[in-house]
Amino acid sequence: MNLGLKDKTALVCASTSGLGLATARALAAEGARVIITGRSQDRASEAAATIPNAIGIGCDLVAEGAAEDLHAATVAALGSVDILVLNGPGPAPGTAAGTTGDGIKEAIATLVIPQQKLVQLTLPAMRENKWGRVLSISSTSVQSPISNLALSNLGRAALAGYLKTLAPELAPDGITVNMLLPGRIATPRAAQIDQAAARRTGTPLTEIQAASKATIPAGRYGEPDEFGAAATFLCSTQASYITGTALRCDGGMTQTL
């Protein structure tokens, strides 16, 4: 299938590792020109060096003015953004009962404000071109909140509400807005969550991982490349009639339609 991504410019946030990097690699494999981003310029450059037609830009999106700087650097390097992949690290694990006002502010500052700014910055060119893709790498917690990830659940749900509201506004301009919800994918983030659970409960890490896999009908954690392939399809020309949708990539784990 020709995905129609050759020479499209893709800005992939938080893409020096994990799901962001897997998505960037898959987009580049289809001919897209990719901006790799991360807080460290060195890590962004190192990751970009492993991908054809990729450029690394260091940027801490939570910092004041960072979204504007990243967008300007992207346009200077590769031109206007055709594909915006929203991604970012989740807040630290914690219970809902233990949530504080500062924690809520952090969740919004990390998972909502930079993403909204980048969307607003990239929309004018997408609208002018009558083509664009906005894809959020999120979590199955949007549909079924995950225990002990209260702040992540809160921030991701807020972003989901914004994007779902945005999708019909942009559809007449040929711009799609979707979310891709990973379940347990073998990434550093998944390892961090498992390790935190092991420390919190005093349970060996191997038992935590085995118990987690037992909840997944596929019987295993997903591979980042499997996620990247799904993300790339949603960014493709072939997915032009899919918008306002949250697609799960979770091995059948989430108990909802």
Side-chain angles (χ1 to χ4, degrees):
M1 182 183 293
N2 181 0
L3 298 184
L5 293 176
K6 183 174 174 56
D7 295 329
K8 297 290 188 186
T9 295
L11 171 56
V12 185
C13 299
S15 48
T16 59
S17 66
L19 301 180
L21 181 58
T23 298
R25 284 176 173 160
L27 288 166
E30 294 297 327
R33 303 175 301 170
V34 178
I35 295 290
I36 301 290
T37 73
R39 286 190 291 263
S40 164
Q41 178 62 59
D42 288 344
R43 288 193 64 194
S45 296
E46 289 169 3
T50 69
I51 300 174
N53 298 319
I55 295 173
I57 298 178
C59 178
D60 181 0
L61 277 175
V62 179
E64 184 69 28
E68 291 83 354
D69 291 344
L70 175 59
H71 179 256
T74 298
V75 172
L78 296 179
S80 62
V81 175
D82 302 300
I83 299 165
L84 174 62
V85 180
L86 302 172
N87 187 30
T95 65
T99 297
T100 65
D102 287 342
I104 292 172
K105 291 177 182 178
E106 178 188 355
I108 298 300
T110 302
L111 294 174
V112 181
I113 293 175
Q115 289 81 352
Q116 188 274 337
K117 286 182 179 178
L118 283 173
V119 168
Q120 293 301 316
L121 289 164
T122 56
L123 281 186
M126 290 183 182
R127 279 179 152 153
E128 182 178 348
N129 295 332
K130 294 295 181 180
W131 197 97
R133 300 289 182 264
V134 177
L135 178 67
S136 172
I137 297 176
S138 187
S139 167
T140 56
S141 66
V142 167
Q143 296 180 337
S144 180
I146 299 171
S147 62
N148 204 51
L149 290 180
L151 291 175
S152 178
N153 295 338
L154 184 154
R156 296 188 193 282
L159 181 62
Y162 166 71
L163 294 175
K164 180 61 177 177
T165 307
L166 183 68
E169 297 175 9
L170 302 183
D173 292 316
I175 303 167
T176 68
V177 181
N178 292 295
M179 304 184 75
L180 186 55
L181 314 182
R184 303 311 305 275
I185 311 291
T187 64
R189 170 66 170 167
Q192 177 191 37
I193 292 171
D194 286 343
Q195 289 163 2
R199 289 193 299 269
R200 185 176 71 254
T201 63
T203 304
L205 178 60
T206 54
E207 292 185 18
I208 292 290
Q209 292 170 331
S212 180
K213 291 174 183 178
T215 68
I216 304 170
R220 62 179 177 86
Y221 286 5
E223 292 299 325
D225 286 347
E226 294 175 304
F227 183 92
T232 297
F233 175 74
L234 289 175
C235 293
S236 73
T237 298
Q238 301 291 351
S240 58
Y241 204 57
I242 302 173
T243 194
T245 294
L247 173 68
R248 294 192 302 275
C249 182
D250 68 351
M253 178 182 70
T254 307
Q255 297 298 306
T256 186
L257 292 175

